[in-house]
Amino acid sequence: MAPDADNSTLIQVLVLERIDRDRNMARFYVLSIETTLFEDLALVRRWGRIGSAGRERIDLHPSRPVAQVELQKWLDRKRRRGYQLRA
């Protein structure tokens, strides 16, 4: 996490990878909580094959705790599927 002076623009970013050379699989998944232009909180998910632009989805949430719960749910799902946090 990268703290800001007033913590209102705190951004949390997690980068996950799933690499299996035998299956020619090299995927990434990025989860981040970001503040929008209108001060809403968004859970931003980016995913795709490593080296590609990938896809992106933005889900708005009413508060940071709600967004963090959703981030944790996605993190748990991806870990069950074999993704690991990038070192």
Side-chain angles (χ1 to χ4, degrees):
M1 293 208 271
D4 194 87
D6 63 358
N7 281 341
S8 65
T9 57
L10 186 71
I11 298 175
Q12 179 176 359
V13 178
L14 298 173
V15 179
L16 300 114
E17 292 180 336
R18 183 176 178 194
I19 299 172
D20 184 344
R21 297 189 195 296
D22 295 335
R23 296 174 58 193
N24 191 28
M25 180 188 302
R27 297 180 182 164
F28 71 91
Y29 209 94
V30 179
L31 296 165
S32 63
I33 296 175
E34 302 176 15
T35 305
T36 68
L37 181 63
F38 301 106
E39 301 294 324
D40 294 323
L41 286 170
L43 174 62
V44 180
R45 297 183 286 138
R46 296 175 185 93
W47 68 92
R49 185 166 175 84
I50 293 174
S52 73
R55 300 183 63 174
E56 178 177 274
R57 177 166 175 145
I58 299 170
D59 297 314
L60 299 177
H61 295 285
S63 67
R64 181 163 300 280
V66 173
Q68 287 175 326
V69 166
E70 289 301 312
L71 181 140
Q72 187 62 48
K73 285 180 186 177
W74 279 104
L75 178 60
D76 293 343
R77 283 181 191 143
K78 293 302 160 185
R79 282 187 165 163
R80 283 193 303 268
R81 301 276 324 251
Y83 284 81
Q84 298 177 355
L85 287 171
R86 185 173 9 171

